[in-house]
């Protein structure tokens, strides 16, 4: 993970998150606009919703690296949705989640 990357990661509590890496330290990582990825039932089947993580906090959220059990690169459609919600550039190419 490097600054500016949008990543998906799972923490030890089981929550799957998405967020923009702000800065990394030896034992922690600061995430800008972290959101919980939630599956929800829709009329068309199962959909994905993004919910702000710790919405009552101001600024970035620090995660202890030992609390992150897995990480990966999100699909382009997931990046587009994250950017739409948090006001970054929206990419043109669309892919399935």
């Amino acid at each position: 993970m490097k600054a500016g990357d949008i990543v998906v990661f799972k923490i030890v509590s089981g929550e799957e998150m998405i967020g923009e890496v702000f800065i990394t330290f030896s034992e922690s990582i600061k995430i800008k606009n972290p959101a919980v990825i939630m599956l929800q039932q829709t009329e068309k089947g199962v959909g994905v919703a993004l919910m702000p993580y710790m919405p009552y906090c101001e600024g970035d959220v620090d995660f202890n690296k030992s609390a992150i059990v897995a990480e990966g690169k999100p699909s382009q459609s997931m990046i587009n949705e994250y950017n739409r919600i948090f006001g970054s550039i929206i990419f043109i190419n669309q892919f399935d989640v």
Side-chain angles (χ1 to χ4, degrees):
M1 284 190 251
K2 65 182 188 313
D5 286 351
I6 296 176
V7 296
V8 171
F9 54 99
K10 188 169 201 153
I11 57 178
V12 293
S13 65
E15 294 169 298
E16 292 186 22
M17 315 285 291
I18 186 169
E20 181 180 344
V21 176
F22 185 71
I23 192 167
T24 60
F25 301 101
S26 61
E27 294 184 15
S28 67
I29 182 168
K30 189 177 287 275
I31 302 290
K32 180 178 179 181
N33 298 321
V36 178
I37 301 169
M38 301 182 68
L39 297 178
Q40 61 181 20
Q41 189 66 37
T42 68
E43 293 177 2
K44 297 180 181 181
V46 177
V48 175
L50 300 180
M51 304 289 291
Y53 182 75
M54 297 178 62
Y56 44 84
C57 292
E58 292 184 14
D60 307 323
V61 177
D62 290 327
F63 287 89
N64 189 317
K65 286 183 177 178
S66 66
I68 299 172
V69 296
E71 69 174 85
K73 180 180 178 183
S75 67
Q76 189 62 56
S77 60
M78 185 66 102
I79 291 171
N80 291 349
E81 183 63 9
Y82 177 83
N83 286 335
R84 184 186 68 79
I85 293 169
F86 292 103
S88 298
I89 298 170
I90 298 176
F91 295 88
I92 295 172
N93 294 333
Q94 293 289 319
F95 299 93
D96 292 330
V97 173

